[in-house]
Amino acid sequence: AQKITQTQPGMFVQEKEAVTLDCTYDTSDQSYGLFWYKQPSSGEMIFLIYQGSYDEQNATEGRYSLNFQKARKSANLVISASQLGDSAMYFCAMRAPFSGGYNKLIFGAGTRLAVHP
Amino acid sequence: EAGVAQSPRYKIIEKRQSVAFWCNPISGHATLYWYQQILGQGPKLLIQFQNNGVVDDSQLPKDRFSAERLKGVDSTLKIQPAKLEDSAVYLCAGPHCGSGYNEQFFGPGTRLTVL
């Protein structure tokens, strides 16, 4: 069965430091995609970064990078130079195929990040 | 134009009442998703539409929840009758075409409180 596990319910980091949010996944599919979303207290889901299962290089988007270790089935999010505005819930998600040729998105339980000044 | 419109933003009802939520994926894409996000949890897919048809409703509590997407554009999710455990944020999403990643673009959600 397809599953996303985020083992850190909460994390805190000092402003300007880097932080790693953990995500492991379970799938038997060869083709899949991994996403990270940010959800501030206002509630909207904001797409941050994407990694395809066949991508050989780790994805980067500005201060966000994804540490993709396929053999270990992990896709950790690294936020460099944390800012106060990074305080939010962070969700790891996997796009996985299901019957009929369609895809579905499976989310982890999330990690709440608090950035301290 | 990317964007997903949802209404209402907030709704408070008593248990056993009925409620309906509306969603319009402004891009007009064929695929539309409804998620339920209970406080402290990740979103859970309730139903996925492709145009007017349902491609996945395996986690939709069909005894009380229903959804439709007439004309393949906007969609309505209904709960009848509501239970206390239905208190959650209901998110609508559509694919973000043109980004190269085909990530899902979420609306602002409807926060439902069942008393």
Side-chain angles (χ1 to χ4, degrees), chain A residues 68-91:
Chain A
F68 182 46
Q69 298 188 41
K70 193 170 182 177
R72 298 179 63 182
K73 294 189 175 179
S74 73
N76 298 339
L77 177 70
V78 181
I79 305 174
S80 62
S82 297
Q83 301 172 357
L84 296 178
D86 294 334
S87 295
M89 283 290 290
Y90 289 81
F91 291 97

Side-chain angles (χ1 to χ4, degrees), chain B residues 8-19:
Chain B
R9 291 295 311 276
Y10 304 92
K11 191 73 177 178
I12 300 174
I13 62 173
E14 296 192 347
K15 60 183 179 182
R16 290 188 290 271
Q17 286 187 323
S18 301
V19 65

Side-chain angles (χ1 to χ4, degrees), chain B residues 28-96:
Chain B
H29 200 275
T31 312
L32 183 151
Y33 310 85
W34 280 102
Y35 290 87
Q36 180 193 58
Q37 186 178 18
I38 293 173
L39 185 65
Q41 299 181 17
K44 180 184 80 173
L45 180 67
L46 291 176
I47 188 167
Q48 178 179 344
F49 287 97
Q50 187 74 13
N51 295 309
N52 296 345
V54 175
V55 299
D56 184 10
D57 62 356
S58 56
Q59 298 197 85
L60 187 75
K62 298 180 186 64
D63 57 335
R64 299 182 299 106
F65 285 63
S66 65
E68 61 181 8
R69 192 182 185 199
L70 301 177
K71 301 181 182 178
V73 180
D74 55 351
S75 176
T76 303
L77 177 69
K78 297 179 182 177
I79 308 175
Q80 179 180 13
K83 292 185 175 182
L84 297 178
E85 59 261 35
D86 298 332
S87 294
V89 176
Y90 291 84
L91 295 163
C92 183
H96 185 197

